[in-house]
Amino acid sequence: MLWSDYFKPPHFEKYPELHQLINDTLKALSAAKGSTDPATGQKALDYIAQVDKIFWETKKA
Protein backbone atom coordinates (compact mmCIF):
# COMPACT_ATOMS: atom_id res chain seq x y z
CA MET A 1 0.00 0.00 0.00
CA LEU A 2 2.81 2.42 0.77
CA TRP A 3 4.31 2.00 -2.67
CA SER A 4 1.11 2.70 -4.57
CA ASP A 5 -0.86 4.93 -2.20
CA TYR A 6 1.55 6.85 0.01
CA PHE A 7 4.88 7.41 -1.70
CA LYS A 8 4.70 10.10 -4.38
CA PRO A 9 7.20 11.35 -7.00
CA PRO A 10 8.92 13.78 -4.58
CA HIS A 11 9.63 10.84 -2.23
CA PHE A 12 11.19 8.83 -5.05
CA GLU A 13 13.27 11.85 -6.06
CA LYS A 14 14.58 12.32 -2.53
CA TYR A 15 15.11 8.58 -2.00
CA PRO A 16 16.16 7.18 -5.42
CA GLU A 17 16.74 3.75 -3.87
CA LEU A 18 13.08 3.54 -2.79
CA HIS A 19 11.73 1.68 -5.84
CA GLN A 20 14.39 -1.01 -5.56
CA LEU A 21 14.05 -1.18 -1.79
CA ILE A 22 10.30 -1.76 -1.98
CA ASN A 23 10.77 -4.35 -4.71
CA ASP A 24 13.42 -6.16 -2.64
CA THR A 25 11.14 -5.99 0.41
CA LEU A 26 8.25 -7.59 -1.47
CA LYS A 27 10.51 -10.36 -2.77
CA ALA A 28 11.88 -10.99 0.74
CA LEU A 29 8.36 -11.14 2.17
CA SER A 30 7.34 -13.62 -0.50
CA ALA A 31 10.37 -15.79 0.30
CA ALA A 32 9.61 -15.59 4.02
CA LYS A 33 6.07 -16.88 3.47
CA GLY A 34 7.45 -20.08 2.02
CA SER A 35 10.31 -20.62 4.44
CA THR A 36 10.89 -21.73 8.00
CA ASP A 37 14.45 -20.39 8.03
CA PRO A 38 14.75 -17.58 10.60
CA ALA A 39 17.38 -15.86 8.44
CA THR A 40 14.85 -15.53 5.62
CA GLY A 41 12.36 -13.89 7.96
CA GLN A 42 15.04 -11.62 9.38
CA LYS A 43 16.00 -10.46 5.91
CA ALA A 44 12.38 -9.43 5.31
CA LEU A 45 12.29 -7.61 8.65
CA ASP A 46 15.51 -5.79 7.81
CA TYR A 47 14.02 -4.53 4.56
CA ILE A 48 10.85 -3.47 6.36
CA ALA A 49 12.95 -1.50 8.82
CA GLN A 50 14.60 0.39 5.96
CA VAL A 51 11.23 1.27 4.41
CA ASP A 52 9.93 2.24 7.85
CA LYS A 53 12.84 4.63 8.33
CA ILE A 54 12.16 6.38 5.03
CA PHE A 55 8.42 6.49 5.74
CA TRP A 56 8.92 8.30 9.05
CA GLU A 57 11.47 10.65 7.50
CA THR A 58 8.84 11.67 4.94
CA LYS A 59 6.31 12.26 7.69
CA LYS A 60 8.65 14.83 9.31
CA ALA A 61 8.83 16.89 6.12
Side-chain angles (χ1 to χ4, degrees), residues 1-42:
M1 294 303 292
L2 287 175
W3 199 0
S4 61
D5 292 340
Y6 176 76
F7 290 124
K8 303 292 183 222
H11 299 131
F12 292 106
E13 290 171 15
K14 185 173 182 179
Y15 302 96
E17 75 280 12
L18 189 53
H19 274 297
Q20 188 63 49
L21 177 59
I22 299 244
N23 191 42
D24 291 344
T25 303
L26 294 173
K27 287 179 183 178
L29 288 168
S30 181
K33 287 190 321 186
S35 176
T36 58
D37 182 1
T40 304
Q42 187 59 55

Side-chain angles (χ1 to χ4, degrees), residues 6-7 10-11 14-15 18 52-61:
Y6 176 76
F7 290 124
H11 299 131
K14 185 173 182 179
Y15 302 96
L18 189 53
D52 180 66
K53 181 178 183 245
I54 291 173
F55 171 78
W56 286 110
E57 287 176 3
T58 66
K59 295 300 269 182
K60 293 177 189 175

